[in-house]
Amino acid sequence: MLNLDNFKEIADNYQVFFFDAFGVLKNAHGLIPNIVDTFSYIRQQQKQFYILTNDASRSPQQLAESYWRLGLHDVTADSIISSGMLAREYLQLKVKQGTAVYLGTEDSAHYIETADLRTLSISDVDLDNTADINALVLLDDEGFDWNNDLNKAVNLLRRRTIPVIVANTDNTYPTSKTQVAIAIGGVADMLENIVGKQFIRFGKPDAQLFMFAYERVVAQNPAIGKKDIVMVGDTLRTDISGGNKFGLDTVLVLTGNIPAEDAEIRIRSTGIIPTYVCESAVIPV
Amino acid sequence: MLNLDNFKEIADNYQVFFFDAFGVLKNAHGLIPNIVDTFSYIRQQQKQFYILTNDASRSPQQLAESYWRLGLHDVTADSIISSGMLAREYLQLKVKQGTAVYLGTEDSAHYIETADLRTLSISDVDLDNTADINALVLLDDEGFDWNNDLNKAVNLLRRRTIPVIVANTDNTYPTSKTQVAIAIGGVADMLENIVGKQFIRFGKPDAQLFMFAYERVVAQNPAIGKKDIVMVGDTLRTDISGGNKFGLDTVLVLTGNIPAEDAEIRIRSTGIIPTYVCESAVIPV
Amino acid sequence: MLNLDNFKEIADNYQVFFFDAFGVLKNAHGLIPNIVDTFSYIRQQQKQFYILTNDASRSPQQLAESYWRLGLHDVTADSIISSGMLAREYLQLKVKQGTAVYLGTEDSAHYIETADLRTLSISDVDLDNTADINALVLLDDEGFDWNNDLNKAVNLLRRRTIPVIVANTDNTYPTSKTQVAIAIGGVADMLENIVGKQFIRFGKPDAQLFMFAYERVVAQNPAIGKKDIVMVGDTLRTDISGGNKFGLDTVLVLTGNIPAEDAEIRIRSTGIIPTYVCESAVIPV
Amino acid sequence: MLNLDNFKEIADNYQVFFFDAFGVLKNAHGLIPNIVDTFSYIRQQQKQFYILTNDASRSPQQLAESYWRLGLHDVTADSIISSGMLAREYLQLKVKQGTAVYLGTEDSAHYIETADLRTLSISDVDLDNTADINALVLLDDEGFDWNNDLNKAVNLLRRRTIPVIVANTDNTYPTSKTQVAIAIGGVADMLENIVGKQFIRFGKPDAQLFMFAYERVVAQNPAIGKKDIVMVGDTLRTDISGGNKFGLDTVLVLTGNIPAEDAEIRIRSTGIIPTYVCESAVIPV
C-alpha cells in the first residue's frame, strides 16, 4: 500500500493551488466534509487558488452560486476556469461571424455568446439552410434530442466543412453515488469517429486550460512561476496528466475516482505519476 | 482513371456469388436499375448466391419480402445471411439461460429469441434488479430512447460483467440520397470506449459472417472451394477487406459508397485492394 | 478471490481440446510441470487436441520437435495450427504469382513457400526494382536489420499498393523469467500506423485460426460440434476472447500471463469472461 | 480547384510569423527557391518570426548553422523553438535529479543536459541497475541499435514507473525526394502501445510549443496578441491543427506535404481548415 502524504505539509510549499472540482471539492452528496477549512487556510495565508473544470454546462457565475449554496463561500466566479471559456476564446479569435450551432442547454450556450456571432441550438437547425453556419460547439449532454439531433449533427458535418469545438473532454459524469451519465465528451468521440474529421477539444488534460489559469496567476503576481503552483485532482488521465505535462507538481487525492487500495496499481499501470498522493485536500483547522 | 472490368466476364468464372445489399442491389431510391437481370442470369446458369448483410434490424424473412415488393423475386429468406444470425448462434452456444437485454426494435429482437433465453428491451430494464441478466445485445438504433437508455446500458455494464454482442459493425446507414443516420455499430463504439470493456462484434469484415455463408455453400455442394466464390460489394472496409481476408476474390462496384473518380485513390490510400473494379453488378440481358 | 475450477472435471465434459502453447504447456523454464500427464490422459480417453499458436517463427515440424526434446511426445506436427499456415493459405488463394517479400528468419519463410511464388527477404529488396513484388509478409522479429529494413518496408509500401500479411498478432513474447522482446505483431502496428494502410492479420483472437482447426476436427469426426470443444489459454485478449467469439467454451489457466490474484480484476475490467478459471491445465495421474 | 491566396498580401496583415521548417523553408533539395526574399522582407518591415520545429535531433545553434550554410542568414538560434526545448523544461521542473536515459544521438542529448541530471544513452543502460533512472526521453531515431535498445526500453519501463518524454510527434521524415525514414515519434507510438503507459509528448500540434514561442513574442513586445500572429506550415495535422487550436490564423503552403491538387480534398476530409492556402511562403522582391 502506498504511503500517503500530508496535504497541509504539501500546501505550505506552494503559493497557488489549482483544484479540480468533482471528487476534490464536492461529490454526489455535496461538499467533501471539512473542505471549507482548506479555503479558510488558503485565505489566511493570503495565497491564491483557481478551480479548473471541464464542466461547460453552467457559467462560472452559476457554478460559484452553487458552491455558495453548499456553504463554500470563498469560491467566486473569478476563481473558476472552465473549458467553456476556451471555446469562447476560440470563437472570438477564429470564427468571428455567422452562426455557431451548439449541442447543450441554453445555460451552456452562455459560453459562446460573443458580440458578432449568432448562436443556434442544433434542434433549431434546418439542414436545407446551413450556409451561414461557421462552427459547431459541443457544450453539454442535455438540451437536445439525442437520436434526432446527433443524426442532424452528423449530416451538418457532411455538408459543411466547419470547425467543431468540444468544451468538455470527459466521457462520463456521476449522477448519484452509484450511477453515471454519458458526458458530451463521450458523445463527441462518437461523432468524430463517424464523420472522420478532427475536432478541437478544450479541457484537462489539454495544456490550454492550464495556460489560461496560469496567465491569470502571472497577471496578478509576475513573480509566480510554475514551480510555485500545485494541481490537486482525483483523476489521473485529466488532472494529474495535464498538470504534470504543463510542468506543475501534482497531488492525487483519494476522495473521488480512485479508491485508496487502487491508487498504486493505477499509477503503475497508466504511467501517470502524481508528485504526491493524499487522502483528501482537507486542511484541518 | 482506373480501367473498369466487365462484370459479366468476371461472373462467368465463378460458381457462387456473395453480394452485399445496400449499394450493390439497392440504394435509397429502390433497386439498382436492371439488377434483376443479374439474378435471372445466375438462375439460368444454375449458380448459387448469398446476400451477406450487416443489417440486423429485420429478419431474413422480412428482408426477403422487401426485395419481393421492390420486384426482385429471386431473393429468398434462405439466401440472406445477416449478422443477427451470428448473434443468435453466439447466445445459443455461450449464454444459454437467463435474460438477454437488447437495444433495438421488437423486429430486431427476433434474432435473439432462442428456446431458453428471455429477451428484454433496455427500456424495460430495472437497474436495481439485474441479477438475471446474462448478455447485452446491440441490434438496431431504433426502438429505445437514446439518452435515457444508453445511460442505462452504461450503468448496467458497470454493475454486471456480462458479454456484449454487437450485431452490426456499420457506423452509419443512408436514410435518403443525401442523408445518413448513426447505426448501432457507431453507438457500440461509444459505449465500448466509455465502459472500457471489449465487445463482441459480428458482421463484415469479420470472418465469421463469411464462414457462416461458406458452410451453407459447402453443405449444398462439397466440391465448391473458396476459389469458386466471388464477393461483390461497394465498401472497401467491410465487403472487400473481409472477402479478401477470407481468401475470396472480390469485386468493388461503383453503385454505392465510392464514386468512380475516387476508386483508385481510395484503394491506394487504404491498401484494401479488390481483385476487380466494375461499374455495377448488372449483367445485361 | 475467484473460486477455481478443477481442470480434470471440466476436461471430462469435452471431446476436443484447443491449447495455447506459451503459458499453458511451456514457459521460459521449459514445460509446465506435469503437463505431460494431461496428454497421457487425453490419449487414454481417445480424445483429440490441437495447439493453436501465433508463433510463425518456426514450422509445425520444428515446433513439434522442440516439444519432443522437452519430453512431451504426444505433440506431432499435425496437431499444431500456426498463424503462419493462414498466411500461406492467403498467398495461395489471393497472390498466386510474383514475389512475396518477408520480414523474418529463413525458418519462418517456410510458411510462405508455395509452388508459384518467389520469396525474398526484406534485406535483399532493391527499392528501384519492385515491380514484381505482390505481397509483404511479416513473420518474425528476427532475421533482418530493424532500422534499415523497417524503413525499407515503409518505402516499399509507399511505392507499391500490395497486401500486407501479418502472421502474428502478439505485441511481445517472453525471453526470460523477467524480460520480454517486441514481437513482429507490435512492429506491424507501427508500420500500419505509419503507412496508413490496412494490414491483414492472422492469429488469435481472429476467427480464422479457430476455423482452420475446427475444419480439421470436423474432417476427422463430423459428429463434433462447437459445444464439444474447449479452448484453454492463459491470455484473455487472444485465447479467451477468440475462443468465446468463435462459440467455444473457454478455460483461463493461471500458469502464464495472469497471476491468480489478478484474475478477477482483469476479467471484470476487460469484460472478457472465460467459462472457467483453473490453476493449470494439468490433469494429475 | 481551390483559389490560392497571395502570401505577400496576407503577410502584410500580421506582425509576427511562426514558420514550420521542412516543406516551408527547405526540402530534400535544400532551401525552397527564393525563400530568402521572404526573410529580407520581414527584416525590412521590422517584423518578428520564429521557426517552430518538431526536430529535436540537433540544437538550435546547429540548426541555425545549417540554415546559414544553405544561404539563409536571417535565422539565428534565438529564432528557433524546438520540441526538445520543452523536453528540457519538463525535466528541469519535474524530474530534477538522478539519471535521464535517452534514445537519440549525442547531439540530441544536448536538449536534456541540465545542471542536476545525469544523461545516459539507452545503449549504456544496465537493466540490473536501474534504481537511479528517473526519466526516459525519446529524442531521435539514430544513435542506438533499434532491435536491442527498443527491447531494452520496453523492459526498463516494465521495471520502473518513470515519466517518458517524447520530443518529436512526427511519424516519418523525408530522407530524399522519394523516400522517408521512421521518426522517433513513430517509434514512440509503438513503445507506448506495447507497455500500455501514457507518454508525454511535446511538439506541434500540441499547444505548449506554440505557448513557448508566444511567451517569447510577448516578452519582446507586450502589445502583440494572438490575432497579430500567423502560423505558416505545410502539414494539416501538426502546423495547421495546432495553430488553429492555439487561436492563430494559419496559412497552408503547397511546397511540402500536400500537392496543390490534393489540398481541397485533404481539408474537407480531415476537417482541419487553414485560414488561407498559398502556393508558397515566398514573398518576391
Side-chain angles (χ1 to χ4, degrees), chain C:
Chain C
M1 177 64 119
L2 219 57
N3 278 321
L4 295 186
D5 302 286
N6 180 304
F7 185 67
K8 181 175 180 303
E9 286 175 20
I10 295 166
D12 287 344
N13 293 322
Y14 297 90
Q15 301 304 312
V16 181
F17 302 87
F18 286 177
F19 290 109
D20 176 41
F22 210 96
V24 177
L25 309 184
K26 60 183 177 178
N27 62 23
H29 301 294
L31 290 184
I32 299 289
N34 302 315
I35 197 71
V36 292
D37 297 344
T38 298
F39 288 85
S40 305
Y41 188 77
I42 292 174
R43 192 174 0 101
Q44 285 161 21
Q45 302 272 322
Q46 299 186 292
K47 293 182 175 178
Q48 260 189 291
F49 71 88
Y50 286 98
I51 296 171
L52 276 64
T53 175
N54 286 353
D55 181 355
S57 68
R58 290 179 292 173
S59 70
Q61 190 59 45
Q62 288 172 310
L63 288 167
E65 282 162 16
S66 79
Y67 284 108
W68 179 274
R69 282 193 301 270
L70 289 169
L72 180 48
H73 299 172
D74 291 274
V75 174
T76 59
D78 279 356
S79 61
I80 296 175
I81 312 284
S82 151
S83 47
M85 296 155 76
L86 295 170
R88 172 164 41 204
E89 188 194 44
Y90 180 90
L91 294 173
Q92 284 172 333
L93 282 163
K94 295 282 300 176
V95 180
K96 294 167 189 159
Q97 58 184 10
T99 297
V101 169
Y102 66 92
L103 276 72
T105 59
E106 279 187 42
D107 275 351
S108 68
H110 145 89
Y111 281 111
I112 60 168
E113 277 154 10
T114 69
D116 303 312
L117 210 54
R118 203 165 69 93
T119 62
L120 184 69
S121 168
I122 185 76
S123 302
D124 297 328
V125 166
D126 170 8
L127 280 176
D128 290 326
N129 188 4
T130 61
D132 188 53
I133 298 174
N134 287 339
L136 178 66
V137 190
L138 279 61
L139 292 165
D140 195 10
D141 58 294
E142 298 187 341
F144 59 95
D145 178 273
W146 278 36
N147 194 341
N148 282 341
D149 291 336
L150 293 178
N151 283 339
K152 203 191 271 185
V154 167
N155 285 304
L156 171 60
L157 294 178
R158 288 163 49 94
R159 204 159 291 197
R160 298 272 294 134
T161 299
I162 54 175
V164 182
I165 298 99
V166 186
N168 181 324
T169 55
D170 293 342
N171 276 337
T172 58
Y173 61 95
T175 54
S176 76
K177 195 168 173 180
T178 59
Q179 295 193 22
V180 300
I182 301 171
I184 193 70
V187 173
D189 290 343
M190 178 177 70
L191 295 180
E192 189 178 36
N193 188 37
I194 284 171
V195 301
K197 297 182 181 184
Q198 196 185 67
F199 290 5
I200 298 166
R201 280 182 175 68
F202 294 111
K204 294 170 288 178
D206 189 68
Q208 271 170 272
L209 193 70
F210 291 90
M211 196 183 345
F212 201 97
Y214 182 63
E215 285 174 353
R216 288 210 183 174
V217 168
V218 175
Q220 282 220 317
N221 182 352
I224 299 282
K226 288 183 178 179
K227 66 180 189 344
D228 303 311
I229 307 174
V230 66
M231 172 74 209
V232 185
D234 73 319
T235 308
L236 291 172
R237 193 182 65 83
T238 52
D239 307 317
I240 307 305
S241 169
N244 281 345
K245 189 177 169 198
F246 192 68
L248 307 183
D249 284 344
T250 51
V251 177
L252 179 73
V253 294
L254 304 175
T255 42
N257 269 323
I258 303 187
E261 64 270 24
D262 288 2
E264 189 172 8
I265 175 90
R266 294 275 196 99
I267 292 167
R268 254 197 301 125
S269 68
T270 60
I272 303 172
I273 312 161
T275 318
Y276 311 101
V277 181
C278 295
E279 201 179 317
S280 78
V282 174
I283 297 177
V285 287

Side-chain angles (χ1 to χ4, degrees), chain A residues 173-218:
Chain A
Y173 61 96
T175 55
S176 76
K177 195 169 173 179
T178 59
Q179 296 193 20
V180 301
I182 301 170
I184 193 69
V187 173
D189 290 344
M190 177 177 70
L191 295 180
E192 189 178 35
N193 188 36
I194 284 171
V195 300
K197 298 182 179 184
Q198 194 185 69
F199 290 5
I200 298 166
R201 279 182 175 69
F202 294 112
K204 295 170 285 179
D206 189 70
Q208 271 171 273
L209 194 71
F210 291 90
M211 194 184 348
F212 201 98
Y214 182 63
E215 284 174 353
R216 287 209 184 175
V217 168
V218 175

Side-chain angles (χ1 to χ4, degrees), chain B residues 172-213:
Chain B
T172 59
Y173 60 97
T175 54
S176 76
K177 196 172 172 175
T178 58
Q179 296 193 21
V180 301
I182 301 171
I184 193 70
V187 173
D189 290 343
M190 177 177 71
L191 296 180
E192 190 178 34
N193 188 36
I194 284 172
V195 301
K197 298 182 180 184
Q198 194 184 70
F199 291 5
I200 299 166
R201 279 182 175 68
F202 295 111
K204 293 170 287 179
D206 189 70
Q208 272 172 272
L209 194 70
F210 290 90
M211 195 183 346
F212 202 98

Side-chain angles (χ1 to χ4, degrees), chain D residues 232-251:
Chain D
V232 185
D234 73 320
T235 308
L236 290 172
R237 193 182 66 84
T238 52
D239 307 317
I240 307 305
S241 168
N244 281 345
K245 188 176 169 198
F246 192 68
L248 307 183
D249 284 344
T250 50
V251 177

